[in-house]
PDB file of all heavy atoms in Angstrom:
ATOM      1  N   THR A  67     -10.650  19.559   0.543  1.00  0.00           N
ATOM      2  CA  THR A  67     -11.782  18.688   0.243  1.00  0.00           C
ATOM      3  C   THR A  67     -12.927  19.395  -0.481  1.00  0.00           C
ATOM      4  O   THR A  67     -13.968  18.787  -0.739  1.00  0.00           O
ATOM      5  CB  THR A  67     -12.349  18.088   1.555  1.00  0.00           C
ATOM      6  OG1 THR A  67     -12.651  19.170   2.438  1.00  0.00           O
ATOM      7  CG2 THR A  67     -11.365  17.141   2.198  1.00  0.00           C
ATOM      8  N   ARG A  68     -12.749  20.661  -0.807  1.00  0.00           N
ATOM      9  CA  ARG A  68     -13.828  21.410  -1.462  1.00  0.00           C
ATOM     10  C   ARG A  68     -13.223  22.293  -2.549  1.00  0.00           C
ATOM     11  O   ARG A  68     -12.308  23.076  -2.272  1.00  0.00           O
ATOM     12  CB  ARG A  68     -14.545  22.273  -0.426  1.00  0.00           C
ATOM     13  CG  ARG A  68     -15.667  23.169  -0.976  1.00  0.00           C
ATOM     14  CD  ARG A  68     -16.916  22.359  -1.223  1.00  0.00           C
ATOM     15  NE  ARG A  68     -18.000  23.221  -1.679  1.00  0.00           N
ATOM     16  CZ  ARG A  68     -19.057  23.551  -0.958  1.00  0.00           C
ATOM     17  NH1 ARG A  68     -19.199  23.080   0.269  1.00  0.00           N
ATOM     18  NH2 ARG A  68     -19.994  24.339  -1.450  1.00  0.00           N
ATOM     19  N   GLN A  69     -13.700  22.164  -3.797  1.00  0.00           N
ATOM     20  CA  GLN A  69     -13.174  22.970  -4.892  1.00  0.00           C
ATOM     21  C   GLN A  69     -14.336  23.757  -5.504  1.00  0.00           C
ATOM     22  O   GLN A  69     -14.983  23.310  -6.444  1.00  0.00           O
ATOM     23  CB  GLN A  69     -12.483  22.075  -5.936  1.00  0.00           C
ATOM     24  CG  GLN A  69     -11.100  22.529  -6.317  1.00  0.00           C
ATOM     25  CD  GLN A  69     -11.024  23.990  -6.799  1.00  0.00           C
ATOM     26  OE1 GLN A  69     -12.009  24.651  -7.089  1.00  0.00           O
ATOM     27  NE2 GLN A  69      -9.806  24.493  -6.877  1.00  0.00           N
ATOM     28  N   GLU A  70     -14.572  24.921  -4.906  1.00  0.00           N
ATOM     29  CA  GLU A  70     -15.730  25.719  -5.318  1.00  0.00           C
ATOM     30  C   GLU A  70     -15.577  26.257  -6.746  1.00  0.00           C
ATOM     31  O   GLU A  70     -16.567  26.443  -7.450  1.00  0.00           O
ATOM     32  CB  GLU A  70     -15.932  26.861  -4.319  1.00  0.00           C
ATOM     33  CG  GLU A  70     -17.287  27.533  -4.397  1.00  0.00           C
ATOM     34  CD  GLU A  70     -18.431  26.713  -3.790  1.00  0.00           C
ATOM     35  OE1 GLU A  70     -18.195  25.568  -3.345  1.00  0.00           O
ATOM     36  OE2 GLU A  70     -19.564  27.222  -3.765  1.00  0.00           O
ATOM     37  N   PHE A  71     -14.331  26.499  -7.205  1.00  0.00           N
ATOM     38  CA  PHE A  71     -14.148  26.986  -8.578  1.00  0.00           C
ATOM     39  C   PHE A  71     -14.538  25.921  -9.596  1.00  0.00           C
ATOM     40  O   PHE A  71     -15.099  26.244 -10.650  1.00  0.00           O
ATOM     41  CB  PHE A  71     -12.707  27.456  -8.816  1.00  0.00           C
ATOM     42  CG  PHE A  71     -12.492  28.888  -8.438  1.00  0.00           C
ATOM     43  CD1 PHE A  71     -11.669  29.223  -7.375  1.00  0.00           C
ATOM     44  CD2 PHE A  71     -13.128  29.916  -9.120  1.00  0.00           C
ATOM     45  CE1 PHE A  71     -11.501  30.546  -7.007  1.00  0.00           C
ATOM     46  CE2 PHE A  71     -12.965  31.248  -8.768  1.00  0.00           C
ATOM     47  CZ  PHE A  71     -12.137  31.571  -7.699  1.00  0.00           C
ATOM     48  N   ILE A  72     -14.243  24.639  -9.286  1.00  0.00           N
ATOM     49  CA  ILE A  72     -14.678  23.588 -10.220  1.00  0.00           C
ATOM     50  C   ILE A  72     -16.192  23.499 -10.223  1.00  0.00           C
ATOM     51  O   ILE A  72     -16.815  23.350 -11.285  1.00  0.00           O
ATOM     52  CB  ILE A  72     -14.023  22.219  -9.894  1.00  0.00           C
ATOM     53  CG1 ILE A  72     -12.507  22.312 -10.063  1.00  0.00           C
ATOM     54  CG2 ILE A  72     -14.586  21.130 -10.811  1.00  0.00           C
ATOM     55  CD1 ILE A  72     -11.751  21.023  -9.840  1.00  0.00           C
ATOM     56  N   LEU A  73     -16.816  23.657  -9.047  1.00  0.00           N
ATOM     57  CA  LEU A  73     -18.296  23.653  -9.004  1.00  0.00           C
ATOM     58  C   LEU A  73     -18.856  24.794  -9.843  1.00  0.00           C
ATOM     59  O   LEU A  73     -19.872  24.639 -10.529  1.00  0.00           O
ATOM     60  CB  LEU A  73     -18.775  23.830  -7.564  1.00  0.00           C
ATOM     61  CG  LEU A  73     -18.943  22.603  -6.683  1.00  0.00           C
ATOM     62  CD1 LEU A  73     -19.606  23.012  -5.376  1.00  0.00           C
ATOM     63  CD2 LEU A  73     -19.756  21.523  -7.380  1.00  0.00           C
ATOM     64  N   LEU A  74     -18.175  25.958  -9.790  1.00  0.00           N
ATOM     65  CA  LEU A  74     -18.626  27.104 -10.600  1.00  0.00           C
ATOM     66  C   LEU A  74     -18.511  26.764 -12.084  1.00  0.00           C
ATOM     67  O   LEU A  74     -19.441  26.985 -12.868  1.00  0.00           O
ATOM     68  CB  LEU A  74     -17.769  28.332 -10.241  1.00  0.00           C
ATOM     69  CG  LEU A  74     -18.101  29.633 -10.960  1.00  0.00           C
ATOM     70  CD1 LEU A  74     -19.546  30.043 -10.708  1.00  0.00           C
ATOM     71  CD2 LEU A  74     -17.143  30.740 -10.513  1.00  0.00           C
ATOM     72  N   SER A  75     -17.359  26.181 -12.452  1.00  0.00           N
ATOM     73  CA  SER A  75     -17.152  25.754 -13.837  1.00  0.00           C
ATOM     74  C   SER A  75     -18.198  24.711 -14.242  1.00  0.00           C
ATOM     75  O   SER A  75     -18.780  24.778 -15.342  1.00  0.00           O
ATOM     76  CB  SER A  75     -15.731  25.182 -13.966  1.00  0.00           C
ATOM     77  OG  SER A  75     -15.600  24.379 -15.102  1.00  0.00           O
ATOM     78  N   ASP A  76     -18.489  23.766 -13.335  1.00  0.00           N
ATOM     79  CA  ASP A  76     -19.479  22.712 -13.622  1.00  0.00           C
ATOM     80  C   ASP A  76     -20.862  23.316 -13.863  1.00  0.00           C
ATOM     81  O   ASP A  76     -21.559  22.971 -14.821  1.00  0.00           O
ATOM     82  CB  ASP A  76     -19.588  21.737 -12.438  1.00  0.00           C
ATOM     83  CG  ASP A  76     -18.345  20.880 -12.227  1.00  0.00           C
ATOM     84  OD1 ASP A  76     -17.502  20.806 -13.143  1.00  0.00           O
ATOM     85  OD2 ASP A  76     -18.224  20.291 -11.136  1.00  0.00           O
ATOM     86  N   THR A  77     -21.272  24.217 -12.967  1.00  0.00           N
ATOM     87  CA  THR A  77     -22.650  24.719 -13.017  1.00  0.00           C
ATOM     88  C   THR A  77     -22.852  25.743 -14.131  1.00  0.00           C
ATOM     89  O   THR A  77     -23.989  26.041 -14.491  1.00  0.00           O
ATOM     90  CB  THR A  77     -23.056  25.343 -11.663  1.00  0.00           C
ATOM     91  OG1 THR A  77     -22.039  26.276 -11.278  1.00  0.00           O
ATOM     92  CG2 THR A  77     -23.213  24.286 -10.589  1.00  0.00           C
ATOM     93  N   LEU A  78     -21.751  26.276 -14.671  1.00  0.00           N
ATOM     94  CA  LEU A  78     -21.875  27.186 -15.819  1.00  0.00           C
ATOM     95  C   LEU A  78     -21.630  26.438 -17.145  1.00  0.00           C
ATOM     96  O   LEU A  78     -21.519  27.064 -18.202  1.00  0.00           O
ATOM     97  CB  LEU A  78     -20.912  28.368 -15.671  1.00  0.00           C
ATOM     98  CG  LEU A  78     -21.236  29.314 -14.500  1.00  0.00           C
ATOM     99  CD1 LEU A  78     -20.240  30.460 -14.426  1.00  0.00           C
ATOM    100  CD2 LEU A  78     -22.670  29.855 -14.602  1.00  0.00           C
ATOM    101  N   GLY A  79     -21.501  25.116 -17.063  1.00  0.00           N
ATOM    102  CA  GLY A  79     -21.350  24.317 -18.288  1.00  0.00           C
ATOM    103  C   GLY A  79     -19.948  24.371 -18.874  1.00  0.00           C
ATOM    104  O   GLY A  79     -19.714  23.807 -19.952  1.00  0.00           O
ATOM    105  N   VAL A  80     -19.011  25.019 -18.174  1.00  0.00           N
ATOM    106  CA  VAL A  80     -17.654  25.144 -18.735  1.00  0.00           C
ATOM    107  C   VAL A  80     -16.933  23.798 -18.669  1.00  0.00           C
ATOM    108  O   VAL A  80     -16.241  23.410 -19.616  1.00  0.00           O
ATOM    109  CB  VAL A  80     -16.854  26.248 -18.006  1.00  0.00           C
ATOM    110  CG1 VAL A  80     -15.441  26.346 -18.551  1.00  0.00           C
ATOM    111  CG2 VAL A  80     -17.571  27.589 -18.154  1.00  0.00           C
ATOM    112  N   SER A  81     -17.125  23.068 -17.569  1.00  0.00           N
ATOM    113  CA  SER A  81     -16.446  21.756 -17.448  1.00  0.00           C
ATOM    114  C   SER A  81     -16.864  20.840 -18.585  1.00  0.00           C
ATOM    115  O   SER A  81     -16.020  20.163 -19.195  1.00  0.00           O
ATOM    116  CB  SER A  81     -16.788  21.104 -16.109  1.00  0.00           C
ATOM    117  OG  SER A  81     -16.412  21.947 -15.050  1.00  0.00           O
ATOM    118  N   MET A  82     -18.167  20.792 -18.879  1.00  0.00           N
ATOM    119  CA  MET A  82     -18.635  19.913 -19.961  1.00  0.00           C
ATOM    120  C   MET A  82     -18.195  20.423 -21.330  1.00  0.00           C
ATOM    121  O   MET A  82     -18.009  19.621 -22.259  1.00  0.00           O
ATOM    122  CB  MET A  82     -20.148  19.738 -19.903  1.00  0.00           C
ATOM    123  CG  MET A  82     -20.602  18.772 -18.811  1.00  0.00           C
ATOM    124  SD  MET A  82     -19.830  17.128 -18.866  1.00  0.00           S
ATOM    125  CE  MET A  82     -20.530  16.439 -20.343  1.00  0.00           C
ATOM    126  N   LEU A  83     -18.041  21.723 -21.490  1.00  0.00           N
ATOM    127  CA  LEU A  83     -17.547  22.254 -22.775  1.00  0.00           C
ATOM    128  C   LEU A  83     -16.079  21.864 -22.981  1.00  0.00           C
ATOM    129  O   LEU A  83     -15.697  21.389 -24.058  1.00  0.00           O
ATOM    130  CB  LEU A  83     -17.723  23.778 -22.804  1.00  0.00           C
ATOM    131  CG  LEU A  83     -17.240  24.488 -24.066  1.00  0.00           C
ATOM    132  CD1 LEU A  83     -17.909  23.924 -25.323  1.00  0.00           C
ATOM    133  CD2 LEU A  83     -17.491  25.995 -23.963  1.00  0.00           C
ATOM    134  N   VAL A  84     -15.270  22.003 -21.923  1.00  0.00           N
ATOM    135  CA  VAL A  84     -13.856  21.595 -22.015  1.00  0.00           C
ATOM    136  C   VAL A  84     -13.786  20.090 -22.290  1.00  0.00           C
ATOM    137  O   VAL A  84     -12.992  19.621 -23.123  1.00  0.00           O
ATOM    138  CB  VAL A  84     -13.084  21.964 -20.718  1.00  0.00           C
ATOM    139  CG1 VAL A  84     -11.677  21.390 -20.726  1.00  0.00           C
ATOM    140  CG2 VAL A  84     -13.037  23.484 -20.539  1.00  0.00           C
ATOM    141  N   ASP A  85     -14.640  19.337 -21.613  1.00  0.00           N
ATOM    142  CA  ASP A  85     -14.672  17.890 -21.805  1.00  0.00           C
ATOM    143  C   ASP A  85     -15.034  17.544 -23.257  1.00  0.00           C
ATOM    144  O   ASP A  85     -14.391  16.697 -23.889  1.00  0.00           O
ATOM    145  CB  ASP A  85     -15.706  17.278 -20.847  1.00  0.00           C
ATOM    146  CG  ASP A  85     -15.658  15.760 -20.854  1.00  0.00           C
ATOM    147  OD1 ASP A  85     -14.684  15.215 -20.336  1.00  0.00           O
ATOM    148  OD2 ASP A  85     -16.571  15.133 -21.424  1.00  0.00           O
ATOM    149  N   ALA A  86     -16.038  18.230 -23.799  1.00  0.00           N
ATOM    150  CA  ALA A  86     -16.488  17.933 -25.176  1.00  0.00           C
ATOM    151  C   ALA A  86     -15.370  18.230 -26.185  1.00  0.00           C
ATOM    152  O   ALA A  86     -15.148  17.463 -27.126  1.00  0.00           O
ATOM    153  CB  ALA A  86     -17.729  18.755 -25.498  1.00  0.00           C
ATOM    154  N   ILE A  87     -14.663  19.343 -25.973  1.00  0.00           N
ATOM    155  CA  ILE A  87     -13.595  19.733 -26.907  1.00  0.00           C
ATOM    156  C   ILE A  87     -12.447  18.715 -26.878  1.00  0.00           C
ATOM    157  O   ILE A  87     -11.835  18.425 -27.898  1.00  0.00           O
ATOM    158  CB  ILE A  87     -13.090  21.148 -26.551  1.00  0.00           C
ATOM    159  CG1 ILE A  87     -14.162  22.184 -26.930  1.00  0.00           C
ATOM    160  CG2 ILE A  87     -11.759  21.472 -27.212  1.00  0.00           C
ATOM    161  CD1 ILE A  87     -13.952  23.553 -26.325  1.00  0.00           C
TER     162      ILE A  87
END
Side-chain angles (χ1 to χ4, degrees):
T67 54
R68 177 78 177 252
Q69 230 306 347
E70 196 75 357
F71 273 113
I72 297 183
L73 273 188
L74 181 59
S75 161
D76 291 345
T77 51
L78 293 180
V80 178
S81 302
M82 283 306 291
L83 179 56
V84 173
D85 188 71
I87 288 165

